[in-house]
Amino acid sequence: MAQLDTLDLIVLVALFAGTVAYFTKGTYWAVPKDPYANSYSVANGAKSGKTRNIVEKMDEAGKNCVIFYGSQTGTAEDYASRLAKEGSSRFGLKTIVADLEDYDYDALDTFSADKVAFFILATYGEGEPTDNAVEFFEFINGEDVAFSTGSTAADKPLSSMKYVAFGLGNNTYEHYNTMVRQVKKALDNLGAVRIGEAGEGDDGAGTMEEDFLAWKEPMWTELAKTMSLEEREAVYEPVFSVTEREDLTPESEEVYVGEPNRYHLGTESKGPYNSHNPYIAPITESREIFTVKDRNCLHMEIDISGSNLRYQTGDHVAVWPTNAGVEVDRLLSVLGLKEKRDTVISVKGLDPTAKVPFPSPTTYDAVLRYYLEICAPVSRQFVASLAAFAPNEKAKAEITKMGEDKDYFHSQISNRYFNIAQTMAMVGKSQQWTDVPFTLLIEGLNKIQPRYYSISSSSLVQKSRISITAVVESLRIPGVHQALKGVTTNYLLALKQKQHGDPNPDPHGLTYAITGPRNKYDGIHVPVHVRHSNFKLPSDPSRPIIMVGPGTGVAPFRGFVQERAAQAAMGEKVGPTVLFFGCRKKAEDFLYEPEWAEYKKALGDAFTLIVAFSRDGPSKVYVQHRMKEHAKLLDELLRQKAYFYVCGDAANMAREVSQTLAQIIAEQRGCSEKEGEDLVKRMRSQNIYQARLCTP
């Protein structure tokens, strides 16, 4: 047999590779950008193989209004959908909702004057764009921004583009609504024509919804005037169709009964796992770390080995929650659908650009249990939309009043944190709302969102296990019969109870389908993905660090200290590591108390733990008080270029910690408090001062 030469071998290898690629159909090499592709309409974003040019997309679909959104928790996406629906029903606009990450932006210079673009943009963390808006933000603010026609910023390439903007922010953060402000500035510099004022909603003040409602009315007036739109009476026009499928049952293999996407529809889920496609991870350990009976704080260990998920110390883990059974039952009952909960339905967009927010076909029960945010406080705008479908005239008058009178709505609904089912049950008394189209709920309620938790372990120490530290939320509201319960933390508590032998866990009176769709979560599993973060230790372990983390704000710092203890054990030089921790009482909620003693043994004098117990003495003592007591130490470490970290409550603690640090600098260095504040700002800009905050 003749010898194969090099060329023959190359050809054979190429043929073999091509054959493998063909028959595996991408099993080993494809990255599922869109987990719902081929399972339901995703025309809202760019389908696989379709254009990423939004202007082409609008022309193909006959649209004259695009509403872009940058969203992290789903609120901006919800506002975009509501604006699209309102623009269509009230003003006859041909609208399309667009996820910013689904399109390219270099063709915006071809945007014609008879169209309008909305930008609904949330600011995430310390002035950062949301995950889906990063590329857009970098493009539009780029120094060398260039467009499809070859024009540059100096040419004012967006002079034919009209735009509207609204930002979602939190005034407890230093960089309040930075995203919308910087995008507005960039668009204006590129020649775009803004219509109306750029609105700003404030989650920190608790006025986000009312800020949005107050902004949009004058915006519509200005837009109608600019584009010569005529307002008409708004009537409900469904965006989706819901068809009951007698030919299918929940056992049919193509029916989604809670699976997040088609990669989970088979017997085993398929990766890669990411923010669109969670990994069903086993919980290997769960325990209670409070020592008081009326409050719960969970420590959990989640195993990600074999998933190809990777995390670094300081990252987030996202938990995909399940709604409580009592809330699912309440909403099914008030809608008159309890007997049809397992009926299979197909949901389709009536417009080719309408994006169904969950996989289909599915069931009424699965939609409410796994796919929609049914436990969230209901918005006044959505309540107003129910008036046309009220069960009687008395209920119609009541719901109309709530929609029109914001003070009345707040007293009856917002201040009680009522969700949609509680609101309908209260207004309708004993009557069911059988006339409410199910499509109205799909359009008006947010898609259920993952909840993010600071990872409380070090990837250096346990690279395939993620630790979570979470307080279980159960808040008593004055004048309200039922407590406000956290959706995800109570779900995690149920998993913990199940793991510890309770066959029917019901934390705070709640039950969950904890074995998941088709029992795929059995054996104590939870859907998760990892979100990477810039909240990181300095690359040089000898660099001093100062950490302030009261309550579960200590979670990421457990990972930081755990990592530094491991580095010390490996013989590395570890710099001063100072942790300020605060809680109510030493005997009740001193989180990880035994562990800190072990870390002290490993780190020696390099580790200093300073605690504040707010309710153990005659007066309340918080972490900022302890900071003042150790002002000299803090200033010495800052002079050594220490990194400063704070994690926890954005509304009060974080702001006071920042102010206290500025005061300490001023006092120790003999300068004005203004100069101290300026130094703290410089630390922030240099990423030496890092904050991870949440709104209670």
Side-chain angles (χ1 to χ4, degrees):
M1 184 175 180
Q3 292 287 330
L4 292 174
D5 63 20
T6 302
L7 181 59
D8 292 330
L9 286 171
I10 291 172
V11 171
L12 285 172
V13 169
L15 286 171
F16 176 76
T19 303
V20 170
Y22 177 82
F23 285 106
T24 59
K25 303 288 188 187
T27 300
Y28 301 109
W29 40 264
V31 176
K33 177 65 175 71
D34 174 21
Y36 301 148
N38 303 320
S39 65
Y40 72 102
S41 172
V42 290
N44 229 13
K47 289 182 182 177
S48 178
K50 297 293 183 178
T51 180
R52 286 182 58 85
N53 182 328
I54 187 59
V55 179
E56 283 184 6
K57 180 75 173 181
M58 293 175 73
D59 290 341
E60 288 173 3
K63 305 296 182 181
N64 62 356
C65 174
V66 59
I67 305 179
F68 292 110
Y69 66 85
S71 186
Q72 195 70 32
T73 63
T75 306
E77 181 179 2
D78 173 53
Y79 285 2
S81 297
R82 286 159 61 177
L83 289 167
K85 190 170 179 61
E86 190 171 355
S88 174
S89 62
R90 285 180 62 184
F91 299 98
L93 286 167
K94 305 299 182 183
T95 58
I96 176 175
V97 178
D99 186 333
L100 277 168
E101 72 177 352
D102 286 339
Y103 296 93
D104 298 323
Y105 325 107
D106 56 354
L108 289 179
D109 60 338
T110 64
F111 208 87
S112 58
D114 60 345
K115 296 181 174 69
V116 63
F118 284 58
F119 293 90
I120 312 302
L121 305 169
T123 298
Y124 182 72
E126 288 295 298
E128 302 162 27
T130 57
D131 289 350
N132 72 318
V134 171
E135 290 183 14
F136 167 73
F137 183 77
E138 291 175 349
F139 174 85
I140 209 73
N141 285 282
E143 293 182 5
D144 55 349
V145 59
F147 291 88
S148 58
T149 59
S151 54
T152 62
D155 303 316
K156 302 295 181 184
L158 303 187
S159 58
S160 65
M161 189 177 86
K162 299 181 181 71
Y163 81 96
V164 170
F166 182 82
L168 296 82
N170 186 318
N171 73 6
T172 61
Y173 287 76
E174 180 179 358
H175 302 286
Y176 173 61
N177 262 311
T178 293
M179 183 66 176
V180 74
R181 293 177 182 181
Q182 292 194 12
V183 168
K184 176 175 73 73
K185 181 179 178 181
L187 291 173
D188 291 348
N189 288 341
L190 293 168
V193 179
R194 178 165 40 86
I195 297 174
E197 293 297 320
E200 294 185 355
D202 186 2
D203 190 45
T207 59
M208 180 72 77
E209 178 70 16
E210 291 302 331
D211 292 339
F212 173 69
L213 297 179
W215 163 79
K216 72 180 181 65
E217 286 309 315
M219 179 277 296
W220 284 128
T221 301
E222 188 71 19
L223 182 64
K225 179 181 177 182
T226 303
M227 297 189 68
S228 301
L229 304 174
E230 291 187 11
E231 185 171 2
R232 59 193 186 188
E233 183 180 357
V235 295
Y236 176 65
E237 298 174 350
V239 175
F240 306 108
S241 68
V242 174
T243 306
E244 295 184 355
R245 299 285 300 272
E246 295 182 359
D247 58 319
L248 296 173
T249 71
E251 288 72 37
S252 301
E253 62 180 15
E254 67 266 42
V255 173
Y256 295 84
V257 291
E259 292 89 352
N261 53 55
R262 67 185 176 92
Y263 299 104
H264 290 256
L265 203 53
T267 55
E268 294 186 5
S269 65
K270 299 176 183 177
Y273 301 107
N274 50 39
S275 60
H276 300 285
N277 187 36
Y279 173 60
I280 311 303
I283 297 174
T284 58
E285 178 190 341
S286 59
R287 68 179 190 270
E288 176 66 54
I289 50 178
F290 278 174
T291 58
V292 61
K293 291 183 179 180
D294 61 342
R295 295 163 60 219
N296 299 95
C297 185
L298 303 176
H299 176 90
M300 286 186 157
E301 296 285 335
I302 296 172
D303 188 357
I304 57 171
S305 57
S307 68
N308 286 324
L309 285 176
R310 299 285 184 270
Y311 82 96
Q312 293 181 326
T313 308
D315 283 346
H316 285 106
V317 62
V319 175
W320 293 47
T322 297
N323 287 315
V326 65
E327 295 300 339
V328 176
D329 292 345
R330 191 200 311 272
L331 188 48
L332 286 169
S333 179
V334 79
L335 293 169
L337 291 174
K338 205 163 187 178
E339 300 304 315
K340 302 175 76 172
R341 68 190 312 151
D342 293 324
T343 299
V344 177
I345 56 175
S346 286
V347 182
K348 296 181 179 179
L350 296 175
D351 183 287
T353 64
K355 179 180 179 181
V356 184
F358 48 77
S360 171
T362 182
T363 66
Y364 288 116
D365 184 281
V367 171
L368 302 186
R369 190 177 301 277
Y370 294 102
Y371 300 137
L372 293 183
E373 198 80 76
I374 67 170
C375 298
V378 66
S379 73
R380 183 160 63 94
Q381 186 176 6
F382 184 56
V383 165
S385 72
L386 295 170
F389 310 104
N392 54 55
E393 288 302 315
K394 186 176 180 181
K396 182 177 181 179
E398 178 72 359
I399 213 81
T400 300
K401 182 178 180 181
M402 288 179 178
E404 294 175 348
D405 186 336
K406 70 176 183 179
D407 293 330
Y408 185 66
F409 176 78
H410 290 323
S411 68
Q412 298 299 306
I413 306 298
S414 292
N415 293 344
R416 301 179 181 183
Y417 296 90
F418 275 6
N419 59 37
I420 182 60
Q422 291 169 324
T423 300
M424 295 167 73
M426 183 190 74
V427 174
K429 308 300 182 186
S430 60
Q431 286 196 267
Q432 295 177 327
W433 295 61
T434 54
D435 290 337
V436 174
F438 198 68
T439 53
L440 188 68
L441 271 71
I442 299 172
E443 297 160 21
L445 299 180
N446 289 354
K447 179 173 62 177
I448 199 165
Q449 296 293 320
R451 271 51 167 188
Y452 292 91
Y453 297 91
S454 292
I455 294 175
S456 55
S457 54
S458 162
S459 57
L460 178 65
V461 176
Q462 49 183 71
K463 66 178 182 180
S464 61
R465 280 187 299 118
I466 287 174
S467 297
I468 292 180
T469 308
V471 167
V472 179
E473 299 171 34
S474 182
L475 178 66
R476 284 287 171 188
I477 308 298
V480 179
H481 171 65
Q482 294 175 319
L484 177 66
K485 305 175 184 71
V487 172
T488 308
T489 53
N490 280 279
Y491 169 50
L492 292 175
L493 179 56
L495 288 168
K496 179 254 182 186
Q497 292 174 347
K498 178 75 171 178
Q499 189 168 49
H500 286 259
D502 188 338
N504 300 297
D506 62 341
H508 300 115
L510 304 178
T511 57
Y512 293 86
I514 57 178
T515 60
R518 294 185 171 94
N519 292 321
K520 291 175 181 176
Y521 303 173
D522 201 10
I524 319 300
H525 288 68
V526 65
V528 301
H529 73 265
V530 171
R531 183 184 191 275
H532 298 297
S533 165
N534 293 323
F535 196 78
K536 292 284 183 282
L537 282 164
S539 56
D540 179 2
S542 67
R543 190 89 173 254
I545 61 171
I546 303 162
M547 301 163 286
V548 182
T552 53
V554 80
F557 303 138
R558 176 182 182 264
F560 282 14
V561 177
Q562 190 180 74
E563 180 146 321
R564 287 207 152 186
Q567 289 170 329
M570 292 186 291
E572 294 190 50
K573 181 183 178 182
V574 173
T577 302
V578 178
L579 171 61
F580 289 87
F581 170 74
C583 63
R584 295 182 184 180
K585 296 184 177 182
K586 183 179 189 297
E588 292 183 358
D589 50 5
F590 188 178
L591 301 183
Y592 301 113
E593 181 181 7
E595 289 189 23
W596 304 125
E598 293 300 315
Y599 297 141
K600 178 67 176 177
K601 290 179 183 177
L603 289 165
D605 292 341
F607 179 51
T608 303
L609 174 65
I610 300 166
V611 295
F613 303 115
S614 62
R615 301 187 185 181
D616 268 349
S619 59
K620 291 186 177 181
V621 178
Y622 296 113
V623 286
Q624 53 268 36
H625 299 132
R626 296 300 191 215
M627 288 173 61
K628 289 181 179 178
E629 292 171 5
H630 294 81
K632 184 177 180 181
L633 171 64
L634 291 181
D635 183 57
E636 288 175 354
L637 294 177
L638 291 178
R639 290 178 186 273
Q640 297 171 38
K641 307 299 182 184
Y643 273 54
F644 187 92
Y645 303 88
V646 59
C647 180
D649 167 32
N652 299 303
M653 181 277 297
R655 182 172 289 178
E656 291 180 16
V657 164
S658 181
Q659 291 171 348
T660 299
L661 187 63
Q663 291 166 3
I664 287 172
I665 292 170
E667 291 168 3
Q668 292 295 311
R669 302 185 185 185
C671 61
S672 68
E673 192 166 324
K674 173 65 167 58
E675 290 173 309
E677 291 172 355
D678 289 342
L679 179 56
V680 171
K681 287 181 179 178
R682 285 199 299 274
M683 290 171 62
R684 287 179 183 270
S685 66
Q686 296 167 3
N687 213 32
I688 296 173
Y689 185 119
Q690 297 184 29
R692 173 174 289 174
L693 310 178
C694 61
T695 305

